[in-house]
Amino acid sequence: MKYYSTRDSALRIGGAEAVKMGLSRDGGLLTPETIPQIGADFLNSLVHASYQRRAAKVMALYLTDYSEEELLGFAENAYGPDKFDHPAAAPLRKVDGSTHCLELWHGPTSAFKDMALQMLPQLLSAALRKTGEDKTVCILVATSGDTGKAAMEGFADVPQTRIMVFYPRDGVSDVQKAQMVTQEGQNVGVCAVAGNFDDAQAGVKRIFSDEAIRKTLADRGYFLSSANSINWGRILPQVVYYISAYCDLLRDGEIKMGDKVNFCVPTGNFGDILAAYYAKRMGLPVGRLICASNCNDVLTDFLRTGVYDRNRPFHTTMSPSMDILVSSNLERLLFDLSGENDAEVRGYMEALNTSGTYEVSGTIKAALREQFWAGFCDEAGTSETIARYYKEYGYLIDTHTAVAAQVMEQYRAATGDGTPAVFVSTASPYKFCDHVLEAIGETPRGSGVELLDQLHGKTGVAIPKRLAALKGKAPRFDLTAEKAEMDGVVLDFLK
């Protein structure tokens, strides 16, 4: 399987090289040249398989320069009991007769990013060996809250790697910040950015495309790669859990083979729902993909109208991992829906860069209407949904999961579609204790990790052990930089 850039389809590189590179040097995203197809026989073979074996089978379809045995070993390391607190890794919880929740937060950082970022370091380390790379890779990460910690947890003290994480200074929860600034490991660095996630992400992309910086770092023995979902090695492990969820529904008798399932995904950078789209393109029986946004509803407007317009107020919300106005992974969707027309995609991205807006073709608009439904949930709706799910179902959910649950209900009310639905839970409620406490009628007594015990005392829901371990842990990092200073931070980090 070869990979090419969304902005230059003449480029052809192997899977290991794509994982190693992270982002194409032309600024495009690396994308598989074909989408492997799966059918009933493939799915039946996985119904009673472990999550690890499902992961190896799915990933082997795309990473043909890795062996399935090799990938199974990686999956056993990534999703084993020393990392995940649930044997299924990504379990389904039944909410009612036609609704399930896919819990993706049972890993070491209590967020869905662990599903990919426990796998990516192993894929990347193998890629360095396979490509004969002797330089040290520096992983640059822009995070809206969860990716940074999950990436550092995955890459901490991994040989031949360094990792620098940038997060918006005032745009993450107290627990998310505590997780990042206390991270252990001799090869990690963390820096707050005076701006929002889009500023941090733009800065990382700028550094990637700066030939002078790349040459300076090469002279020092480094090259750059990414752990953001712009790296194909991040997207591919996420495809797995949609296929796994379908297999679990089959195993438990909730559906029959071939029955369609709708997935509702809370998303900001469009990576998580893009993975669901790829699963559908592979032949997984998926009905509608429901895209759930918070008040930063740029994706809702785009999927409804075909016009992407980032020129709007930026809202800092209680679901910070979705506080994004420039959704990078949308570029991969546009590439696929345009018939892999790299010139068309380049035009959209250039317009976004220069004017902040673009409008897609009629063909793409029609495809968006057929494949997706989009809605958003405001702050009041998020709180109300947390309270209602706790009261009616005894189910404590976080702010991002609440957005998905609420938008899924909007979809059903608007369409009357009774297709079985799975909404995606992307974080433990303990990562957002203050907002969850307020939603269920409690007044927070303190902030950050101080609230873990209060939420546990109220609900009895177990505190993830690694979050509990944050209490009393001293920060290691306190660096803050302006947007224009990010280049210097990286160069200083790699002296």
Side-chain angles (χ1 to χ4, degrees), residues 4 6 31-33 35 270 273-274 276-278 280-281 289 299 302-307 329-345 348-349 358-373:
Y4 44 38
T6 53
T31 303
E33 62 181 352
I35 304 297
F270 207 74
I273 196 167
L274 178 74
Y277 172 79
Y278 280 129
K280 182 177 182 179
R281 283 275 281 109
L289 296 170
L299 284 170
F302 171 71
L303 293 171
R304 290 176 177 178
T305 68
V307 177
N329 267 293
L330 200 57
E331 184 169 340
R332 283 189 169 110
L333 179 69
L334 297 178
F335 186 68
D336 194 62
L337 295 182
S338 68
E340 302 182 341
N341 187 328
D342 53 359
E344 183 177 346
V345 172
Y348 296 143
M349 295 303 105
Y358 61 85
E359 182 172 3
V360 297
S361 68
T363 299
I364 294 179
K365 287 179 183 178
L368 293 175
R369 285 193 297 271
E370 180 183 353
Q371 303 270 7
F372 293 89
W373 192 91

Side-chain angles (χ1 to χ4, degrees), residues 307-449:
V307 177
Y308 196 99
D309 187 358
R310 72 176 189 199
N311 301 314
R312 62 184 65 211
F314 179 91
H315 302 286
T316 299
T317 74
M318 66 175 75
S319 46
S321 296
M322 302 162 69
D323 291 347
I324 297 172
L325 293 180
V326 180
S327 302
S328 289
N329 267 293
L330 200 57
E331 184 169 340
R332 283 189 169 110
L333 179 69
L334 297 178
F335 186 68
D336 194 62
L337 295 182
S338 68
E340 302 182 341
N341 187 328
D342 53 359
E344 183 177 346
V345 172
R346 275 199 313 274
Y348 296 143
M349 295 303 105
E350 288 167 5
L352 182 65
N353 188 50
T354 56
S355 68
T357 185
Y358 61 85
E359 182 172 3
V360 297
S361 68
T363 299
I364 294 179
K365 287 179 183 178
L368 293 175
R369 285 193 297 271
E370 180 183 353
Q371 303 270 7
F372 293 89
W373 192 91
F376 73 95
C377 176
D378 62 16
E379 298 287 85
T382 303
S383 294
E384 183 275 330
T385 304
I386 293 171
R388 181 160 46 83
Y389 270 67
Y390 182 61
K391 180 179 179 181
E392 295 183 6
Y393 302 111
Y395 191 18
L396 193 67
I397 58 177
D398 91 295
T399 50
H400 304 75
T401 307
V403 169
Q406 222 264 2
V407 171
M408 178 192 65
E409 294 169 2
Q410 292 177 23
Y411 169 76
R412 284 175 161 172
T415 64
D417 185 355
T419 299
V422 174
F423 66 97
V424 175
S425 180
T426 56
S428 164
Y430 279 100
K431 298 197 77 167
F432 307 93
C433 292
D434 50 354
H435 298 298
V436 173
L437 281 164
E438 289 171 348
I440 62 175
E442 295 292 301
T443 300
R445 299 189 298 271
S447 62
V449 296

Side-chain angles (χ1 to χ4, degrees), residues 252-290:
D252 297 342
E254 298 290 338
I255 59 171
K256 300 188 299 294
M257 180 64 73
D259 288 350
K260 289 190 175 181
V261 174
N262 294 335
F263 285 99
C264 182
V265 188
T267 191
N269 218 20
F270 207 74
D272 203 2
I273 196 167
L274 178 74
Y277 172 79
Y278 280 129
K280 182 177 182 179
R281 283 275 281 109
M282 292 171 70
L284 190 71
V286 176
R288 277 295 183 91
L289 296 170
I290 304 162

Side-chain angles (χ1 to χ4, degrees), residues 30-45:
L30 296 165
T31 303
E33 62 181 352
T34 59
I35 304 297
Q37 296 300 294
I38 60 176
D41 289 346
F42 183 87
L43 292 171
N44 276 323
S45 74

Side-chain angles (χ1 to χ4, degrees), residues 6-119:
T6 53
R7 302 185 194 181
D8 181 7
S9 58
L11 176 75
R12 289 290 189 283
I13 60 174
E17 189 69 31
V19 170
K20 184 179 83 170
M21 187 180 294
L23 181 71
S24 179
R25 296 302 177 237
D26 58 17
L29 306 189
L30 296 165
T31 303
E33 62 181 352
T34 59
I35 304 297
Q37 296 300 294
I38 60 176
D41 289 346
F42 183 87
L43 292 171
N44 276 323
S45 74
L46 299 182
V47 167
H48 297 289
S50 67
Y51 189 85
Q52 291 88 331
R53 189 161 295 279
R54 291 170 180 174
K57 286 283 188 183
V58 173
M59 294 176 66
L61 298 174
Y62 288 91
L63 296 177
T64 53
D65 43 359
Y66 294 72
S67 70
E68 187 176 316
E69 181 181 12
E70 188 178 21
L71 292 168
L72 179 59
F74 294 164
E76 289 172 342
N77 291 337
Y79 306 120
D82 58 327
K83 299 288 182 64
F84 279 71
D85 65 14
H86 195 290
L92 275 180
R93 173 166 175 152
K94 187 169 183 175
V95 178
D96 63 29
S98 62
T99 308
H100 288 74
C101 183
L102 177 60
E103 294 183 345
L104 301 178
W105 44 264
H106 290 279
T109 76
S110 301
F112 83 104
K113 305 298 175 69
D114 291 323
M115 301 303 301
L117 284 166
Q118 286 299 309
M119 177 62 75

